[in-house]
Amino acid sequence: NLEIGLKETIEHGSFTDNSPATFSLTDEDHTIANVVRFTLNQDSRVTFCGYSIPHPLEARVNIIVQTTGDPAREVLKDACQNLMLMCRHVRCTFDKAVEDFKASNVVKAMKIDSQDSSGDDSEESE
């Protein structure tokens, strides 16, 4: 299993040549397959990478990897670790932006808090 939460990974390849392999990921779809493919294609060790969905009603994707000679399994593992780092960076950047926005004068001027949202418009309705 890979550390990004993939439930089951099956590797199809050769016993003598580790550079080409097809990884079958269960309970996954285009969402993870496309970002893993993108991340793999950023690696200079990868000569080809693609993915396929065997059948639309089956929750499974096949990721095909061909490397310059390094084991495809290690290259996939590195790509997934790079993907986790990218996600962590995006999350930290987003969280900081939210904190900065909440601390800004714009939010204070809007007076957004749980007490102001009580919905009591009795003074203005008359």
mmCIF file of all heavy atoms in Angstrom, residues 24-64:
data_model
loop_
_atom_site.group_PDB
_atom_site.id
_atom_site.type_symbol
_atom_site.label_atom_id
_atom_site.label_comp_id
_atom_site.label_asym_id
_atom_site.label_seq_id
_atom_site.Cartn_x
_atom_site.Cartn_y
_atom_site.Cartn_z
ATOM 1 N N SER A 24 -2.445 -1.559 -10.592
ATOM 2 C CA SER A 24 -3.895 -1.560 -10.549
ATOM 3 C C SER A 24 -4.335 -1.084 -9.176
ATOM 4 O O SER A 24 -4.030 -1.722 -8.164
ATOM 5 C CB SER A 24 -4.405 -2.973 -10.832
ATOM 6 O OG SER A 24 -5.799 -2.972 -10.915
ATOM 7 N N LEU A 25 -5.041 0.037 -9.134
ATOM 8 C CA LEU A 25 -5.481 0.631 -7.872
ATOM 9 C C LEU A 25 -6.987 0.426 -7.735
ATOM 10 O O LEU A 25 -7.760 0.863 -8.596
ATOM 11 C CB LEU A 25 -5.169 2.129 -7.836
ATOM 12 C CG LEU A 25 -3.754 2.551 -8.226
ATOM 13 C CD1 LEU A 25 -3.632 4.067 -8.208
ATOM 14 C CD2 LEU A 25 -2.741 1.924 -7.311
ATOM 15 N N THR A 26 -7.397 -0.242 -6.673
ATOM 16 C CA THR A 26 -8.823 -0.476 -6.461
ATOM 17 C C THR A 26 -9.443 0.673 -5.684
ATOM 18 O O THR A 26 -8.764 1.403 -4.964
ATOM 19 C CB THR A 26 -9.061 -1.793 -5.707
ATOM 20 O OG1 THR A 26 -8.383 -1.745 -4.459
ATOM 21 C CG2 THR A 26 -8.561 -2.979 -6.504
ATOM 22 N N ASP A 27 -10.726 0.830 -5.855
ATOM 23 C CA ASP A 27 -11.522 1.886 -5.208
ATOM 24 C C ASP A 27 -10.997 3.275 -5.533
ATOM 25 O O ASP A 27 -11.012 4.174 -4.677
ATOM 26 C CB ASP A 27 -11.586 1.682 -3.685
ATOM 27 C CG ASP A 27 -12.337 0.432 -3.295
ATOM 28 O OD1 ASP A 27 -13.254 0.040 -4.054
ATOM 29 O OD2 ASP A 27 -12.012 -0.169 -2.262
ATOM 30 N N GLU A 28 -10.501 3.468 -6.743
ATOM 31 C CA GLU A 28 -10.012 4.774 -7.178
ATOM 32 C C GLU A 28 -10.585 5.099 -8.550
ATOM 33 O O GLU A 28 -11.138 4.226 -9.226
ATOM 34 C CB GLU A 28 -8.479 4.796 -7.230
ATOM 35 C CG GLU A 28 -7.812 4.606 -5.885
ATOM 36 C CD GLU A 28 -8.125 5.681 -4.863
ATOM 37 O OE1 GLU A 28 -8.606 6.777 -5.256
ATOM 38 O OE2 GLU A 28 -7.913 5.440 -3.678
ATOM 39 N N ASP A 29 -10.445 6.380 -8.935
ATOM 40 C CA ASP A 29 -10.966 6.810 -10.227
ATOM 41 C C ASP A 29 -10.047 7.855 -10.841
ATOM 42 O O ASP A 29 -8.870 7.948 -10.476
ATOM 43 C CB ASP A 29 -12.399 7.343 -10.073
ATOM 44 C CG ASP A 29 -12.491 8.506 -9.098
ATOM 45 O OD1 ASP A 29 -11.447 9.055 -8.702
ATOM 46 O OD2 ASP A 29 -13.619 8.876 -8.724
ATOM 47 N N HIS A 30 -10.576 8.658 -11.765
ATOM 48 C CA HIS A 30 -9.777 9.651 -12.473
ATOM 49 C C HIS A 30 -9.105 10.646 -11.528
ATOM 50 O O HIS A 30 -8.036 11.166 -11.838
ATOM 51 C CB HIS A 30 -10.653 10.440 -13.454
ATOM 52 C CG HIS A 30 -11.152 9.650 -14.609
ATOM 53 N ND1 HIS A 30 -10.378 9.365 -15.702
ATOM 54 C CD2 HIS A 30 -12.358 9.072 -14.839
ATOM 55 C CE1 HIS A 30 -11.077 8.665 -16.571
ATOM 56 N NE2 HIS A 30 -12.282 8.468 -16.066
ATOM 57 N N THR A 31 -9.719 10.928 -10.398
ATOM 58 C CA THR A 31 -9.200 11.946 -9.485
ATOM 59 C C THR A 31 -7.761 11.644 -9.079
ATOM 60 O O THR A 31 -6.872 12.482 -9.268
ATOM 61 C CB THR A 31 -10.089 12.050 -8.234
ATOM 62 O OG1 THR A 31 -11.434 12.278 -8.642
ATOM 63 C CG2 THR A 31 -9.620 13.175 -7.329
ATOM 64 N N ILE A 32 -7.513 10.477 -8.542
ATOM 65 C CA ILE A 32 -6.155 10.144 -8.104
ATOM 66 C C ILE A 32 -5.280 9.760 -9.295
ATOM 67 O O ILE A 32 -4.098 10.108 -9.355
ATOM 68 C CB ILE A 32 -6.150 9.045 -7.013
ATOM 69 C CG1 ILE A 32 -4.771 8.929 -6.359
ATOM 70 C CG2 ILE A 32 -6.551 7.705 -7.577
ATOM 71 C CD1 ILE A 32 -4.427 10.065 -5.456
ATOM 72 N N ALA A 33 -5.863 9.062 -10.272
ATOM 73 C CA ALA A 33 -5.063 8.591 -11.409
ATOM 74 C C ALA A 33 -4.468 9.751 -12.188
ATOM 75 O O ALA A 33 -3.296 9.707 -12.589
ATOM 76 C CB ALA A 33 -5.912 7.722 -12.322
ATOM 77 N N ASN A 34 -5.222 10.803 -12.398
ATOM 78 C CA ASN A 34 -4.730 11.927 -13.182
ATOM 79 C C ASN A 34 -3.606 12.672 -12.470
ATOM 80 O O ASN A 34 -2.609 13.041 -13.090
ATOM 81 C CB ASN A 34 -5.872 12.879 -13.524
ATOM 82 C CG ASN A 34 -5.498 13.845 -14.617
ATOM 83 O OD1 ASN A 34 -4.772 13.496 -15.548
ATOM 84 N ND2 ASN A 34 -5.976 15.052 -14.505
ATOM 85 N N VAL A 35 -3.725 12.882 -11.165
ATOM 86 C CA VAL A 35 -2.660 13.600 -10.459
ATOM 87 C C VAL A 35 -1.412 12.738 -10.296
ATOM 88 O O VAL A 35 -0.293 13.249 -10.346
ATOM 89 C CB VAL A 35 -3.109 14.169 -9.087
ATOM 90 C CG1 VAL A 35 -4.163 15.220 -9.271
ATOM 91 C CG2 VAL A 35 -3.589 13.103 -8.153
ATOM 92 N N VAL A 36 -1.588 11.425 -10.120
ATOM 93 C CA VAL A 36 -0.419 10.534 -10.055
ATOM 94 C C VAL A 36 0.275 10.505 -11.411
ATOM 95 O O VAL A 36 1.502 10.582 -11.504
ATOM 96 C CB VAL A 36 -0.817 9.116 -9.591
ATOM 97 C CG1 VAL A 36 0.327 8.139 -9.768
ATOM 98 C CG2 VAL A 36 -1.265 9.147 -8.131
ATOM 99 N N ARG A 37 -0.494 10.429 -12.496
ATOM 100 C CA ARG A 37 0.067 10.459 -13.842
ATOM 101 C C ARG A 37 0.835 11.764 -14.067
ATOM 102 O O ARG A 37 1.960 11.771 -14.560
ATOM 103 C CB ARG A 37 -1.035 10.319 -14.892
ATOM 104 C CG ARG A 37 -0.514 10.343 -16.328
ATOM 105 C CD ARG A 37 -1.629 10.676 -17.311
ATOM 106 N NE ARG A 37 -2.308 11.925 -16.997
ATOM 107 C CZ ARG A 37 -1.855 13.130 -17.329
ATOM 108 N NH1 ARG A 37 -0.707 13.265 -17.945
ATOM 109 N NH2 ARG A 37 -2.538 14.205 -17.015
ATOM 110 N N PHE A 38 0.233 12.890 -13.680
ATOM 111 C CA PHE A 38 0.890 14.186 -13.832
ATOM 112 C C PHE A 38 2.202 14.221 -13.060
ATOM 113 O O PHE A 38 3.234 14.653 -13.588
ATOM 114 C CB PHE A 38 -0.041 15.301 -13.339
ATOM 115 C CG PHE A 38 0.613 16.655 -13.331
ATOM 116 C CD1 PHE A 38 0.706 17.395 -14.487
ATOM 117 C CD2 PHE A 38 1.147 17.171 -12.155
ATOM 118 C CE1 PHE A 38 1.330 18.638 -14.481
ATOM 119 C CE2 PHE A 38 1.762 18.400 -12.142
ATOM 120 C CZ PHE A 38 1.856 19.142 -13.313
ATOM 121 N N THR A 39 2.184 13.759 -11.817
ATOM 122 C CA THR A 39 3.381 13.774 -10.983
ATOM 123 C C THR A 39 4.449 12.854 -11.552
ATOM 124 O O THR A 39 5.636 13.202 -11.573
ATOM 125 C CB THR A 39 3.031 13.361 -9.539
ATOM 126 O OG1 THR A 39 1.946 14.169 -9.071
ATOM 127 C CG2 THR A 39 4.209 13.547 -8.612
ATOM 128 N N LEU A 40 4.055 11.680 -12.031
ATOM 129 C CA LEU A 40 5.025 10.763 -12.639
ATOM 130 C C LEU A 40 5.663 11.380 -13.876
ATOM 131 O O LEU A 40 6.865 11.225 -14.107
ATOM 132 C CB LEU A 40 4.342 9.440 -13.003
ATOM 133 C CG LEU A 40 4.170 8.450 -11.873
ATOM 134 C CD1 LEU A 40 3.151 7.391 -12.256
ATOM 135 C CD2 LEU A 40 5.497 7.814 -11.493
ATOM 136 N N ASN A 41 4.877 12.074 -14.674
ATOM 137 C CA ASN A 41 5.416 12.673 -15.901
ATOM 138 C C ASN A 41 6.387 13.816 -15.618
ATOM 139 O O ASN A 41 7.124 14.233 -16.514
ATOM 140 C CB ASN A 41 4.294 13.129 -16.820
ATOM 141 C CG ASN A 41 3.718 11.987 -17.615
ATOM 142 O OD1 ASN A 41 4.437 11.100 -18.052
ATOM 143 N ND2 ASN A 41 2.407 11.987 -17.799
ATOM 144 N N GLN A 42 6.427 14.325 -14.403
ATOM 145 C CA GLN A 42 7.388 15.360 -14.026
ATOM 146 C C GLN A 42 8.755 14.767 -13.702
ATOM 147 O O GLN A 42 9.749 15.488 -13.624
ATOM 148 C CB GLN A 42 6.887 16.151 -12.809
ATOM 149 C CG GLN A 42 5.540 16.808 -13.001
ATOM 150 C CD GLN A 42 5.524 17.765 -14.161
ATOM 151 O OE1 GLN A 42 6.381 18.621 -14.280
ATOM 152 N NE2 GLN A 42 4.557 17.600 -15.049
ATOM 153 N N ASP A 43 8.818 13.460 -13.510
ATOM 154 C CA ASP A 43 10.051 12.765 -13.130
ATOM 155 C C ASP A 43 10.858 12.435 -14.386
ATOM 156 O O ASP A 43 10.338 11.821 -15.327
ATOM 157 C CB ASP A 43 9.689 11.481 -12.373
ATOM 158 C CG ASP A 43 10.875 10.853 -11.674
ATOM 159 O OD1 ASP A 43 11.999 10.898 -12.213
ATOM 160 O OD2 ASP A 43 10.660 10.293 -10.574
ATOM 161 N N SER A 44 12.118 12.814 -14.386
ATOM 162 C CA SER A 44 12.970 12.580 -15.554
ATOM 163 C C SER A 44 13.262 11.094 -15.780
ATOM 164 O O SER A 44 13.689 10.707 -16.866
ATOM 165 C CB SER A 44 14.284 13.354 -15.408
ATOM 166 O OG SER A 44 14.995 12.900 -14.268
ATOM 167 N N ARG A 45 13.021 10.259 -14.782
ATOM 168 C CA ARG A 45 13.238 8.816 -14.927
ATOM 169 C C ARG A 45 12.106 8.128 -15.675
ATOM 170 O O ARG A 45 12.214 6.969 -16.049
ATOM 171 C CB ARG A 45 13.401 8.170 -13.548
ATOM 172 C CG ARG A 45 14.588 8.697 -12.759
ATOM 173 C CD ARG A 45 14.601 8.125 -11.367
ATOM 174 N NE ARG A 45 13.453 8.637 -10.605
ATOM 175 C CZ ARG A 45 13.106 8.230 -9.395
ATOM 176 N NH1 ARG A 45 13.805 7.289 -8.790
ATOM 177 N NH2 ARG A 45 12.071 8.740 -8.774
ATOM 178 N N VAL A 46 11.008 8.824 -15.898
ATOM 179 C CA VAL A 46 9.838 8.235 -16.540
ATOM 180 C C VAL A 46 9.867 8.550 -18.037
ATOM 181 O O VAL A 46 9.946 9.707 -18.436
ATOM 182 C CB VAL A 46 8.531 8.776 -15.907
ATOM 183 C CG1 VAL A 46 7.305 8.275 -16.642
ATOM 184 C CG2 VAL A 46 8.466 8.386 -14.442
ATOM 185 N N THR A 47 9.809 7.493 -18.843
ATOM 186 C CA THR A 47 9.747 7.687 -20.295
ATOM 187 C C THR A 47 8.313 7.655 -20.801
ATOM 188 O O THR A 47 8.003 8.244 -21.828
ATOM 189 C CB THR A 47 10.571 6.605 -21.034
ATOM 190 O OG1 THR A 47 10.079 5.319 -20.668
ATOM 191 C CG2 THR A 47 12.039 6.717 -20.689
ATOM 192 N N PHE A 48 7.426 6.962 -20.108
ATOM 193 C CA PHE A 48 6.009 6.919 -20.460
ATOM 194 C C PHE A 48 5.188 6.682 -19.206
ATOM 195 O O PHE A 48 5.567 5.894 -18.337
ATOM 196 C CB PHE A 48 5.710 5.795 -21.467
ATOM 197 C CG PHE A 48 4.249 5.642 -21.734
ATOM 198 C CD1 PHE A 48 3.596 6.494 -22.604
ATOM 199 C CD2 PHE A 48 3.511 4.662 -21.084
ATOM 200 C CE1 PHE A 48 2.230 6.368 -22.833
ATOM 201 C CE2 PHE A 48 2.146 4.527 -21.303
ATOM 202 C CZ PHE A 48 1.507 5.385 -22.191
ATOM 203 N N CYS A 49 4.050 7.351 -19.143
ATOM 204 C CA CYS A 49 3.108 7.124 -18.060
ATOM 205 C C CYS A 49 1.714 7.448 -18.562
ATOM 206 O O CYS A 49 1.508 8.443 -19.252
ATOM 207 C CB CYS A 49 3.435 7.987 -16.847
ATOM 208 S SG CYS A 49 2.255 7.739 -15.517
ATOM 209 N N GLY A 50 0.787 6.606 -18.226
ATOM 210 C CA GLY A 50 -0.604 6.833 -18.575
ATOM 211 C C GLY A 50 -1.479 6.036 -17.641
ATOM 212 O O GLY A 50 -0.996 5.276 -16.799
ATOM 213 N N TYR A 51 -2.777 6.224 -17.785
ATOM 214 C CA TYR A 51 -3.684 5.419 -16.971
ATOM 215 C C TYR A 51 -4.915 5.081 -17.781
ATOM 216 O O TYR A 51 -5.228 5.726 -18.783
ATOM 217 C CB TYR A 51 -4.054 6.120 -15.668
ATOM 218 C CG TYR A 51 -5.057 7.241 -15.779
ATOM 219 C CD1 TYR A 51 -6.415 6.989 -15.649
ATOM 220 C CD2 TYR A 51 -4.665 8.549 -15.986
ATOM 221 C CE1 TYR A 51 -7.343 8.011 -15.742
ATOM 222 C CE2 TYR A 51 -5.571 9.575 -16.070
ATOM 223 C CZ TYR A 51 -6.921 9.308 -15.951
ATOM 224 O OH TYR A 51 -7.837 10.312 -16.038
ATOM 225 N N SER A 52 -5.598 4.044 -17.345
ATOM 226 C CA SER A 52 -6.844 3.643 -17.996
ATOM 227 C C SER A 52 -7.826 3.180 -16.923
ATOM 228 O O SER A 52 -7.442 2.756 -15.839
ATOM 229 C CB SER A 52 -6.593 2.524 -18.999
ATOM 230 O OG SER A 52 -6.149 1.354 -18.334
ATOM 231 N N ILE A 53 -9.085 3.296 -17.279
ATOM 232 C CA ILE A 53 -10.168 2.791 -16.447
ATOM 233 C C ILE A 53 -10.691 1.557 -17.188
ATOM 234 O O ILE A 53 -11.258 1.695 -18.277
ATOM 235 C CB ILE A 53 -11.297 3.831 -16.283
ATOM 236 C CG1 ILE A 53 -10.755 5.159 -15.783
ATOM 237 C CG2 ILE A 53 -12.424 3.289 -15.421
ATOM 238 C CD1 ILE A 53 -10.374 5.215 -14.340
ATOM 239 N N PRO A 54 -10.493 0.348 -16.643
ATOM 240 C CA PRO A 54 -10.891 -0.861 -17.374
ATOM 241 C C PRO A 54 -12.379 -0.896 -17.746
ATOM 242 O O PRO A 54 -12.725 -1.298 -18.837
ATOM 243 C CB PRO A 54 -10.547 -2.000 -16.426
ATOM 244 C CG PRO A 54 -9.563 -1.434 -15.480
ATOM 245 C CD PRO A 54 -9.862 0.026 -15.371
ATOM 246 N N HIS A 55 -13.227 -0.452 -16.838
ATOM 247 C CA HIS A 55 -14.666 -0.434 -17.098
ATOM 248 C C HIS A 55 -15.292 0.657 -16.242
ATOM 249 O O HIS A 55 -14.939 0.802 -15.072
ATOM 250 C CB HIS A 55 -15.292 -1.794 -16.763
ATOM 251 C CG HIS A 55 -16.683 -1.928 -17.278
ATOM 252 N ND1 HIS A 55 -17.769 -1.429 -16.603
ATOM 253 C CD2 HIS A 55 -17.159 -2.499 -18.410
ATOM 254 C CE1 HIS A 55 -18.866 -1.679 -17.293
ATOM 255 N NE2 HIS A 55 -18.530 -2.332 -18.389
ATOM 256 N N PRO A 56 -16.218 1.434 -16.800
ATOM 257 C CA PRO A 56 -16.795 2.557 -16.029
ATOM 258 C C PRO A 56 -17.531 2.145 -14.761
ATOM 259 O O PRO A 56 -17.653 2.933 -13.833
ATOM 260 C CB PRO A 56 -17.764 3.218 -17.005
ATOM 261 C CG PRO A 56 -17.603 2.554 -18.306
ATOM 262 C CD PRO A 56 -16.715 1.371 -18.159
ATOM 263 N N LEU A 57 -18.024 0.917 -14.709
ATOM 264 C CA LEU A 57 -18.755 0.472 -13.518
ATOM 265 C C LEU A 57 -17.854 -0.166 -12.471
ATOM 266 O O LEU A 57 -18.320 -0.543 -11.405
ATOM 267 C CB LEU A 57 -19.848 -0.533 -13.929
ATOM 268 C CG LEU A 57 -20.936 0.033 -14.839
ATOM 269 C CD1 LEU A 57 -21.916 -1.052 -15.233
ATOM 270 C CD2 LEU A 57 -21.652 1.194 -14.171
ATOM 271 N N GLU A 58 -16.570 -0.268 -12.783
ATOM 272 C CA GLU A 58 -15.618 -0.879 -11.858
ATOM 273 C C GLU A 58 -14.735 0.212 -11.262
ATOM 274 O O GLU A 58 -14.121 0.979 -11.996
ATOM 275 C CB GLU A 58 -14.761 -1.892 -12.622
ATOM 276 C CG GLU A 58 -13.878 -2.729 -11.748
ATOM 277 C CD GLU A 58 -13.111 -3.761 -12.559
ATOM 278 O OE1 GLU A 58 -13.394 -3.933 -13.758
ATOM 279 O OE2 GLU A 58 -12.217 -4.381 -11.969
ATOM 280 N N ALA A 59 -14.675 0.297 -9.945
ATOM 281 C CA ALA A 59 -13.879 1.328 -9.263
ATOM 282 C C ALA A 59 -12.414 0.888 -9.221
ATOM 283 O O ALA A 59 -11.903 0.441 -8.194
ATOM 284 C CB ALA A 59 -14.413 1.578 -7.863
ATOM 285 N N ARG A 60 -11.773 0.992 -10.380
ATOM 286 C CA ARG A 60 -10.375 0.566 -10.471
ATOM 287 C C ARG A 60 -9.708 1.342 -11.593
ATOM 288 O O ARG A 60 -10.327 1.649 -12.603
ATOM 289 C CB ARG A 60 -10.296 -0.932 -10.766
ATOM 290 C CG ARG A 60 -8.896 -1.489 -10.786
ATOM 291 C CD ARG A 60 -8.887 -3.004 -10.740
ATOM 292 N NE ARG A 60 -9.620 -3.626 -11.826
ATOM 293 C CZ ARG A 60 -9.062 -4.063 -12.953
ATOM 294 N NH1 ARG A 60 -7.766 -3.940 -13.144
ATOM 295 N NH2 ARG A 60 -9.798 -4.628 -13.879
ATOM 296 N N VAL A 61 -8.440 1.690 -11.384
ATOM 297 C CA VAL A 61 -7.648 2.334 -12.435
ATOM 298 C C VAL A 61 -6.347 1.566 -12.599
ATOM 299 O O VAL A 61 -5.832 0.977 -11.646
ATOM 300 C CB VAL A 61 -7.335 3.822 -12.129
ATOM 301 C CG1 VAL A 61 -8.590 4.642 -12.071
ATOM 302 C CG2 VAL A 61 -6.535 3.978 -10.865
ATOM 303 N N ASN A 62 -5.844 1.566 -13.806
ATOM 304 C CA ASN A 62 -4.541 0.981 -14.099
ATOM 305 C C ASN A 62 -3.596 2.114 -14.472
ATOM 306 O O ASN A 62 -3.895 2.886 -15.390
ATOM 307 C CB ASN A 62 -4.630 -0.015 -15.254
ATOM 308 C CG ASN A 62 -5.450 -1.233 -14.895
ATOM 309 O OD1 ASN A 62 -5.467 -1.658 -13.753
ATOM 310 N ND2 ASN A 62 -6.134 -1.799 -15.866
ATOM 311 N N ILE A 63 -2.487 2.217 -13.756
ATOM 312 C CA ILE A 63 -1.468 3.222 -14.064
ATOM 313 C C ILE A 63 -0.282 2.498 -14.680
ATOM 314 O O ILE A 63 0.288 1.599 -14.061
ATOM 315 C CB ILE A 63 -1.051 4.006 -12.808
ATOM 316 C CG1 ILE A 63 -2.257 4.750 -12.237
ATOM 317 C CG2 ILE A 63 0.091 4.960 -13.122
ATOM 318 C CD1 ILE A 63 -1.988 5.517 -10.983
ATOM 319 N N ILE A 64 0.054 2.892 -15.901
ATOM 320 C CA ILE A 64 1.129 2.257 -16.651
ATOM 321 C C ILE A 64 2.361 3.150 -16.559
ATOM 322 O O ILE A 64 2.278 4.352 -16.832
ATOM 323 C CB ILE A 64 0.739 2.054 -18.122
ATOM 324 C CG1 ILE A 64 -0.530 1.195 -18.229
ATOM 325 C CG2 ILE A 64 1.866 1.415 -18.915
ATOM 326 C CD1 ILE A 64 -1.774 1.990 -18.408
#
